[in-house]
Amino acid sequence: MRTILSGICLFIATIAFAQRECASPAYIDQLKSVDPSFTAKINEIENFVRRQKTARELEQAAPNVIVIPVVVHVLYKTPAQNISDEQIKSQIDALNRDFRRRNADTSNTPVRFKSLAADVQIEFALATADPKGRATTGIVRKATSVTRWNSDDKIKFSSQGGDDAWDSRYYLNFWVGDLGTLLGYSSQPGTAAEKDGVVINYTAFGTINVNAPYNLGRTATHEVGHWLGLRHIWGESYCGDDFVDDTPKQGNFTTGCPNTFRSSCGNGEMGDMYMNYMDFTNDACMNLFTNGQKQRMLSFFKESGARNLLLSSKGLNKPWLAESPVEMPVKTAFKFYPNPTSGELILDFEYNADWIGKSVSIVNINGTVVSKNQINSKMQQLNLSQLAPGMYFIQAENGMQKLRAKFIKL
Ligand SMILES: [Zn+2]
């Protein structure tokens, strides 16, 4: 019975995520269809990438590690969608393992591909300073009334229930929310700044509280690959071009977790590289980026490249702006003096300047107003020398507060 039950559960899980769903190519096609200039921009960027390769500049480049400041916008309607800091950090860790080839499963990379596998030398860190220089955890949490997001970008705009991007020239923006069966989608270099970033389903973000088979943070590894200009390994069409030389041509995407040699498009003894992060296999069955993919990603960081400004981001600096404005001296209550008074009374409204413009009344013990004055200074001076000796009240009202205090006229 137990076997049957777990079999059913597995079946249901399989239906929920029948196949890795990455909407990035469809998303880019959509951007191209609404903005005719976008295609030209993408082509221009491709020419730039090609020039970088021709110059052999990349091979000679100093092997510095690039650290990208990250902000994670968490959009939630249910408590489960408000994922924990721990889950978010588990995703950053997973990205760093995969991009630095420090993942434990590098051993699963087939021998024939081992020499192609790359430490991409890119790392990720939650931002410490926001675009204005204030301290941040790099995590923005926002309740929303939106039940389900899709690849229409609403999640990227506060005006549509989402959350506005931080300046994407200087930060990698992640948006995390409920995407239904969609795992995620990404922009690519050249996308308009306000839409530039990666959207990931909360059920596939990080390695904690996530659903197998997308439970190793590799949806984000894959989508960040797109964000850094990588295409799917099969080149988005049958035996298509992924613009990378060392990845074998491949007929189509691969699902699940194959464990046998496969070949297509006449790729011969190299076979399909279905364990590449840019295929559609399960998280547990992907384990490499290639040197060619690395060079393509790094080329965008070259001078005037589409990701170049990230190198001058202040997002990982110490915050340089105080978190709140310098506090005013604390004035907790209305003061007046001297009491008793022989004639002159000072009313101190320093604690709340809203009183200026309102009127203040002096009321006798019978409730009769004997004097009325407009407050025109934070230190209002009243001349009460004409009042008969006795007990009086100061009364004022400013719409928010009522003020009543007792004093003695000598
Ligand atoms: Zn994809």
Side-chain angles (χ1 to χ4, degrees):
M1 186 60 187
R2 194 165 162 211
T3 317
I4 293 170
L5 270 181
S6 60
I8 289 170
C9 290
L10 187 68
F11 182 63
I12 290 167
T14 311
I15 286 181
F17 278 118
Q19 155 187 326
R20 184 177 289 277
E21 266 195 72
C22 164
S24 296
Y27 171 70
I28 297 299
D29 287 347
Q30 162 69 9
L31 292 183
K32 284 176 179 168
S33 72
V34 296
D35 176 10
S37 69
F38 187 57
T39 303
K41 186 159 192 189
I42 296 291
N43 292 341
E44 192 186 305
I45 288 173
E46 275 317 317
N47 287 333
F48 173 84
V49 171
R50 256 174 242 130
R51 285 199 303 276
Q52 302 303 313
K53 286 170 92 171
T54 315
R56 293 202 145 263
E57 198 186 340
L58 293 158
E59 287 80 354
Q60 294 156 12
N64 291 330
V65 172
I66 294 169
V67 185
I68 297 177
V70 171
V71 54
V72 179
H73 308 262
V74 179
L75 282 305
Y76 64 94
K77 195 181 181 190
T78 67
Q81 293 162 8
N82 191 13
I83 60 171
S84 67
D85 288 1
E86 204 188 1
Q87 185 176 344
I88 291 167
K89 284 169 186 161
S90 77
Q91 179 61 72
I92 303 295
D93 292 344
L95 284 169
N96 287 334
R97 284 195 298 270
D98 290 347
F99 275 80
R100 295 306 313 276
R101 195 155 173 79
R102 289 175 180 157
N103 44 309
D105 53 3
T106 57
S107 54
N108 295 343
T109 303
V111 174
R112 65 187 189 282
F113 293 140
K114 279 206 195 294
S115 64
L116 300 177
D119 166 2
V120 179
Q121 294 181 289
I122 293 177
E123 293 182 6
F124 304 85
L126 288 168
T128 50
D130 77 4
K132 287 182 176 159
R134 296 170 300 198
T136 177
T137 56
I139 300 169
V140 179
R141 299 179 179 282
K142 202 165 165 187
T144 179
S145 58
V146 177
T147 307
R148 178 72 51 93
W149 307 95
N150 57 41
S151 56
D152 63 6
D153 278 346
K154 284 184 179 160
I155 200 168
K156 300 174 181 175
F157 294 94
S158 299
S159 59
Q160 299 183 63
D163 196 43
D164 290 341
W166 287 12
D167 191 336
S168 56
R169 294 171 303 171
Y170 300 105
Y171 296 87
L172 163 54
N173 285 267
F174 275 108
W175 288 270
V176 180
D178 185 354
L179 300 179
T181 58
L182 180 65
L183 286 176
Y185 70 98
S186 176
S187 62
Q188 69 176 57
T191 306
E194 68 275 16
K195 295 180 174 178
D196 189 20
V198 174
V199 183
I200 306 274
N201 201 326
Y202 78 105
T203 58
F205 193 76
T207 60
I208 301 169
N209 295 327
V210 284
N211 300 334
Y214 308 114
N215 55 346
L216 297 177
R218 284 174 171 162
T219 297
T221 301
H222 174 108
E223 295 303 337
V224 173
H226 286 310
W227 185 74
L228 290 170
L230 296 188
R231 292 159 67 93
H232 288 136
I233 192 104
W234 66 96
E236 328 303 356
S237 59
Y238 184 73
C239 302
D241 189 359
D242 68 353
F243 303 159
V244 171
D245 295 336
D246 62 359
T247 50
K249 279 250 183 291
Q250 186 173 311
N252 211 330
F253 59 81
T254 316
T255 58
C257 194
N259 54 9
T260 52
F261 178 87
R262 291 185 176 197
S263 92
S264 57
C265 312
N267 58 23
E269 56 192 30
M270 282 304 261
D272 292 354
M273 194 187 270
Y274 55 74
M275 66 300 299
N276 190 283
Y277 294 124
M278 300 315 288
D279 205 337
F280 274 6
T281 36
N282 293 347
D283 278 15
C285 308
M286 22 174 78
N287 51 58
L288 85 152
F289 285 122
T290 67
N291 288 312
Q293 288 174 318
K294 169 185 178 175
Q295 289 184 6
R296 183 170 166 80
M297 289 191 267
L298 291 181
S299 64
F300 296 100
F301 290 90
K302 293 289 156 189
E303 199 179 334
S304 75
R307 297 285 178 228
N308 176 259
L309 286 175
L310 282 161
L311 301 179
S312 51
S313 174
K314 293 177 180 170
L316 296 173
N317 287 11
K318 206 174 158 218
W320 60 93
L321 196 74
E323 278 181 70
S324 51
V326 177
E327 283 189 33
M328 298 297 287
V330 181
K331 302 271 185 186
T332 51
F334 164 71
K335 291 187 194 112
F336 64 96
Y337 50 86
N339 182 19
T341 173
S342 53
E344 187 181 80
L345 194 66
I346 311 273
L347 311 181
D348 180 351
F349 292 104
E350 194 97 57
Y351 83 107
N352 183 359
D354 288 350
W355 285 107
I356 294 172
K358 306 296 185 299
S359 63
V360 57
S361 304
I362 303 300
V363 180
N364 70 15
I365 196 86
N366 302 320
T368 309
V369 175
V370 294
S371 160
K372 195 165 182 174
N373 294 276
Q374 195 182 30
I375 303 163
N376 42 37
S377 153
K378 283 190 275 188
M379 300 292 270
Q380 181 80 29
Q381 201 173 342
L382 299 180
N383 183 353
L384 305 175
S385 54
Q386 304 304 313
L387 289 186
M391 190 169 82
Y392 294 86
F393 298 95
I394 303 165
Q395 283 184 12
E397 211 175 311
N398 71 1
M400 300 287 286
Q401 271 183 297
K402 260 187 184 170
L403 197 147
R404 186 173 156 95
K406 193 165 67 178
F407 71 96
I408 305 289
K409 167 72 186 1
L410 298 175

